[in-house]
Amino acid sequence: MDDCIFCKIAKKIVPVTAIYEDEHFIAFHDLTPQAPVHALVIPKAHFATLMELQETEIMAGALRAVQKTATALDLVEEGFRTVINCRENGGQTVYHLHFHLLGGRFMQWPPG
Ligand code: AMP
Ligand code: ZN
């Protein structure tokens, strides 16, 4: 996906400071943080939304990558929130699957 910003980040065409990285995932800080700590975990392969992801290996790896990223950000003890926005009503704006990882303050529930 030549015009996808997260593909460019995954391929390091756009410079990125990785919080966590493995063969299939990379995590980095969100450009517009919604909490004191706001990271994004993305698969390096392009899936437009959660619903395009079918590979169970990548599904499992995603949660592992979220755990690793939360550990790297020292969020484990205090806790954090993970969010996947899917399509229009989910508020998705970047159509490359990503997991938000929010922490550093109490997260209200329900979300707005
Ligand atoms: P969503 O609304 O779930 O699609 O979230 C997209 C997120 O990507 C937003 O929180 C944006 O701030 C973030 N974002 C967009 N472009 C970049 C970028 N170049 N680097 C880091 N985060 C970005
Ligand atoms: Zn992409």
Side-chain angles (χ1 to χ4, degrees), residues 9-107:
I9 288 173
K11 290 175 185 152
K12 299 185 179 160
I13 295 165
V14 170
V16 60
T17 302
I19 301 163
Y20 169 77
E21 183 170 8
D22 62 29
E23 187 187 348
H24 296 297
F25 296 91
I26 186 165
F28 51 91
H29 291 283
D30 196 292
L31 199 61
T32 313
Q34 303 300 321
V37 182
H38 185 174
L40 299 173
V41 179
I42 67 166
K44 290 180 176 176
H46 183 90
F47 304 96
T49 81
L50 178 64
M51 300 312 292
E52 275 74 41
L53 175 58
Q54 303 295 333
E55 291 91 333
T56 51
E57 186 193 342
I58 301 291
M59 287 179 186
L63 290 181
R64 189 73 186 136
V66 168
Q67 289 178 332
K68 294 275 192 184
T69 304
T71 301
L73 291 169
D74 200 22
L75 292 174
V76 175
E77 197 173 325
E78 287 187 347
F80 58 92
R81 178 167 294 170
T82 301
V83 172
I84 306 168
N85 295 326
C86 188
R87 299 185 180 165
E88 192 175 347
N89 277 1
Q92 185 173 4
T93 58
V94 176
Y95 277 73
H96 177 129
L97 175 62
H98 50 280
F99 299 72
H100 293 264
L101 205 161
L102 299 143
R105 65 166 167 78
F106 181 78
M107 299 294 150

